[in-house]
Amino acid sequence: MLTSKQRSFLSGLAATLQPTVMIGKEGLSEGVVRALQNELNVRELVKLRFIASKEDRRSFSEQLAQEAGAELVRVIGNVAIFYKMAEDAEKRTITLP
């Protein structure tokens, strides 16, 4: 579980990131979950953009975080930010305060 200070820190880091996963008219699908998991394995911090299903963005984000084994950092507008610490200590690029 992330503290508010850690969430703030990660949100600041995510400000410069471009969304790499999108949710379109298909909504929450297995492909979106796999894409998020793949991105989290490459990067520890991932931005996801809602192109459709905007009214469900909070519930979809919470469900995605649970299925991907990640932390939901924040949902801002049509963007959700996810964090998952790299399992390999050598691949960790983010040190939380």
Side-chain angles (χ1 to χ4, degrees):
M1 192 74 182
L2 296 172
T3 66
S4 61
K5 185 175 182 179
Q6 291 170 332
R7 287 182 194 285
S8 178
F9 174 75
L10 291 171
S11 292
L13 292 178
T16 60
L17 297 177
Q18 292 296 317
T20 54
V21 180
M22 311 286 182
I23 293 185
K25 63 182 178 181
E26 295 294 318
L28 191 58
S29 66
E30 185 62 35
V32 173
V33 174
R34 277 196 308 272
L36 180 60
Q37 288 171 332
N38 291 339
E39 285 295 316
L40 286 167
N41 288 333
V42 174
R43 301 167 184 79
E44 292 177 288
L45 194 61
V46 175
K47 260 187 178 178
L48 177 142
R49 178 171 303 282
F50 288 91
I51 297 170
S53 305
K54 295 177 183 179
E55 62 280 348
D56 299 322
R57 62 184 175 256
R58 175 52 103 177
S59 62
F60 280 2
S61 297
E62 291 170 354
Q63 186 177 350
L64 268 171
Q66 184 177 19
E67 290 183 25
E71 292 280 345
L72 176 60
V73 177
R74 190 161 284 156
V75 177
I76 303 171
N78 294 320
V79 175
I81 303 167
F82 297 90
Y83 171 75
K84 183 177 180 184
M85 183 185 296
E87 293 178 11
D88 186 1
E90 294 177 2
K91 292 184 179 181
R92 291 185 188 146
T93 57
I94 300 173
T95 304
L96 295 176

